[in-house]
């Protein structure tokens, strides 16, 4: 490729990234992800305007569409701090209310009382957790049968969400940290007892084919907890369990991993022992 073409491609990509970041809906999305999606869209030969539109659509499908309400992190933190001083029950109620504003945790709320108890029954004692593409899931730590000094590492692509999770962890003295990360090209490497990839593989696979497997292989944990929704975002339930089970089996068929399936009303879980 000629040097002029490379420069023009680079300029087009930077123009696309700036344009996406101008929109209030996407200004908090990590640039690595915008660049990854934008590069692919531009490589299809479309102009910058069309590629910007396609990039925003993809960002909506893999993240934006799951927010059921515009996050108000400042007011949520205030509420969490007040609740914390008034006791554990109220604190959990506020966590549950906030989780109800994100589609994945909203669905999980219906089964949360048994979700982690059943999963952790298959795991050796857990002292460290990695939550890959975490969304609001770190707020469910108080439903997990783990010691108070458990280390929790959480990653997602939204900067404001990650700030919120770090503040949440400080309020409830959770050790660990949250970080902004595009996890396909830069998979987190902390060694943890277990890693969660909840409701996330379908999103990663929309960005890049086989990205789900790539991340499962790269994560540095012996146990991986992978889940899939049983309903589409628009509420369609037909064949979803079968569809995702087949996709998951195809993704992992060449691996010598032992896999345990757990069925829940709103989610299908696979526990992988590497
Ligand atoms: C369906 S939600 C699941 C959230 C959470 N794991 C749960 O189950 O409650 C998918 C999450 O993946 C995040 N995400 C999508 N692509 C990502 C990427 N390449 N790197 C990191 N996070 C990503 C989105 O921002 C979103 O929070």
């Amino acid at each position: 490729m000629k040097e002029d073409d490379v420069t023009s491609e680079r300029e087009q990509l930077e123009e696309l990234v700036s344009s996406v970041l101008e929109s209030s809906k996407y200004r908090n999305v990590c640039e690595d992800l915008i660049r990854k999606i934008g590069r692919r869209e531009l490589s299809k030969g479309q102009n910058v305007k069309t590629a910007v539109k396609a990039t925003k659509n993809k960002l909506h499908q893999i993240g934006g569409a799951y927010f059921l309400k515009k996050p108000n992190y400042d007011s949520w933190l205030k509420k969490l701090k007040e609740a914390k001083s008034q006791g554990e029950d109220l604190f959990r109620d506020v966590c549950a209310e906030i989780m109800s504003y994100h589609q994945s945790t909203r669905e999980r709320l219906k089964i949360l009382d048994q979700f982690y108890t059943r999963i952790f029954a298959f795991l050796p004692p857990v002292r460290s957790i990695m939550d890959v593409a975490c969304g609001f899931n770190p707020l469910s730590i108080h439903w997990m049968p783990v010691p108070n000094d458990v280390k929790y590492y959480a990653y997602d692509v939204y900067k404001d969400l990650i700030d919120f999770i770090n503040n949440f962890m400080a309020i409830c003295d959770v050790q660990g940290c949250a970080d902004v990360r595009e996890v396909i090209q830069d998979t987190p490497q902390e060694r943890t007892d277990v890693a969660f990839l909840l409701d996330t593989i379908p999103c990663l696979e929309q960005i890049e084919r086989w990205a789900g497997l790539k991340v499962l292989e790269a994560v540095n944990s012996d146990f991986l907890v992978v889940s899939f929704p049983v309903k589409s975002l628009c509420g369609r339930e037909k064949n979803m369990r079968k569809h995702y089970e087949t996709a998951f089996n195809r993704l992992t068929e060449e691996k010598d991993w032992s896999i345990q399936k757990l069925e829940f009303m709103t989610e299908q879980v696979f526990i992988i022992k590497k």
Side-chain angles (χ1 to χ4, degrees):
M1 193 183 285
K2 287 193 202 133
E3 207 173 300
D4 280 359
D5 292 341
V6 175
T7 310
S8 142
E9 260 185 31
R10 203 177 299 136
E11 281 169 1
Q12 284 191 330
L13 185 57
E14 290 320 306
E15 190 186 333
L16 177 145
V17 172
S18 310
S19 175
V20 172
L21 285 173
E22 268 167 26
S23 122
S24 63
K25 209 172 154 198
Y26 302 110
R27 66 164 176 243
N28 277 297
V29 175
C30 119
E31 287 182 25
D32 287 344
L33 178 61
I34 302 174
R35 212 164 261 122
K36 189 173 176 68
I37 297 171
R39 191 176 293 117
R40 179 159 299 193
E41 293 305 329
L42 286 169
S43 75
K44 294 176 185 166
Q46 42 199 2
N47 62 31
V48 176
K49 197 171 165 211
T50 312
V52 166
K53 197 163 173 237
T55 304
K56 286 183 180 173
N57 276 343
K58 185 66 75 182
L59 289 172
H60 179 74
Q61 285 163 26
I62 63 168
Y66 291 87
F67 291 96
L68 302 173
K69 176 180 172 156
K70 190 169 183 283
N72 191 341
Y73 295 123
D74 288 343
S75 104
W76 294 351
L77 285 172
K78 200 163 159 252
K79 240 176 145 174
L80 283 165
K81 272 186 204 147
E82 280 166 15
K84 185 70 186 159
S85 64
Q86 290 172 42
E88 238 9 76
D89 286 349
L90 186 62
F91 188 72
R92 276 163 63 115
D93 287 349
V94 175
C95 290
E97 185 201 329
I98 297 169
M99 286 193 279
S100 76
Y101 301 137
H102 187 283
Q103 179 68 23
S104 300
T105 36
R106 184 186 184 85
E107 284 298 303
R108 200 169 299 125
L109 277 179
K110 300 171 191 159
I111 51 165
L112 202 50
D113 283 334
Q114 35 147 334
F115 188 72
Y116 289 108
T117 326
R118 279 183 64 196
I119 290 170
F120 278 59
F122 286 92
L123 305 176
V126 168
R127 292 192 187 79
S128 51
I129 296 171
M130 179 184 297
D131 200 340
V132 182
C134 62
F136 287 5
N137 189 56
L139 273 73
S140 54
I141 189 166
H142 290 87
W143 282 261
M144 298 177 197
V146 288
N148 288 337
D149 62 351
V150 68
K151 296 230 165 31
Y152 204 106
Y153 303 97
Y155 295 91
D156 206 289
V157 286
Y158 286 94
K159 295 177 201 155
D160 53 350
L161 165 66
I162 290 300
D163 281 348
F164 170 69
I165 299 294
N166 275 316
N167 281 307
F168 165 79
M169 288 186 183
I171 291 171
C172 49
D173 288 326
V174 172
Q175 295 184 32
C177 63
D179 207 358
V180 180
R181 187 78 65 93
E182 195 292 292
V183 300
I184 303 171
Q185 54 198 23
D186 194 6
T187 309
Q189 286 301 298
E190 283 89 1
R191 171 105 194 125
T192 55
D193 293 330
V194 63
F196 299 150
L197 279 101
L198 302 181
D199 236 1
T200 285
I201 287 188
C203 299
L204 302 183
E205 292 280 321
Q206 285 190 64
I207 302 169
E208 183 183 312
R209 183 133 170 75
W210 300 108
L213 179 60
K214 192 172 160 192
V215 175
L216 289 177
E217 285 176 330
V219 161
N220 200 0
S221 307
D222 290 337
F223 288 89
L224 310 174
V225 178
V226 177
S227 80
F228 295 91
V230 299
K231 268 193 211 163
S232 68
L233 268 177
C234 53
R236 199 170 56 88
E237 226 164 315
K238 205 161 162 250
N239 288 332
M240 285 282 283
R241 277 185 200 267
K242 187 91 204 96
H243 167 77
Y244 280 130
E245 184 168 5
T246 308
F248 176 75
N249 288 341
R250 194 172 319 123
L251 213 59
T252 54
E253 67 190 352
E254 310 237 309
K255 306 307 292 183
D256 181 20
W257 293 339
S258 79
I259 297 175
Q260 175 81 40
K261 181 169 87 165
L262 280 181
E263 297 277 9
F264 292 91
M265 184 179 64
T266 61
E267 206 157 338
Q268 191 170 33
V269 173
F270 299 92
I271 302 176
I272 299 176
K273 163 98 177 69
K274 275 193 182 173

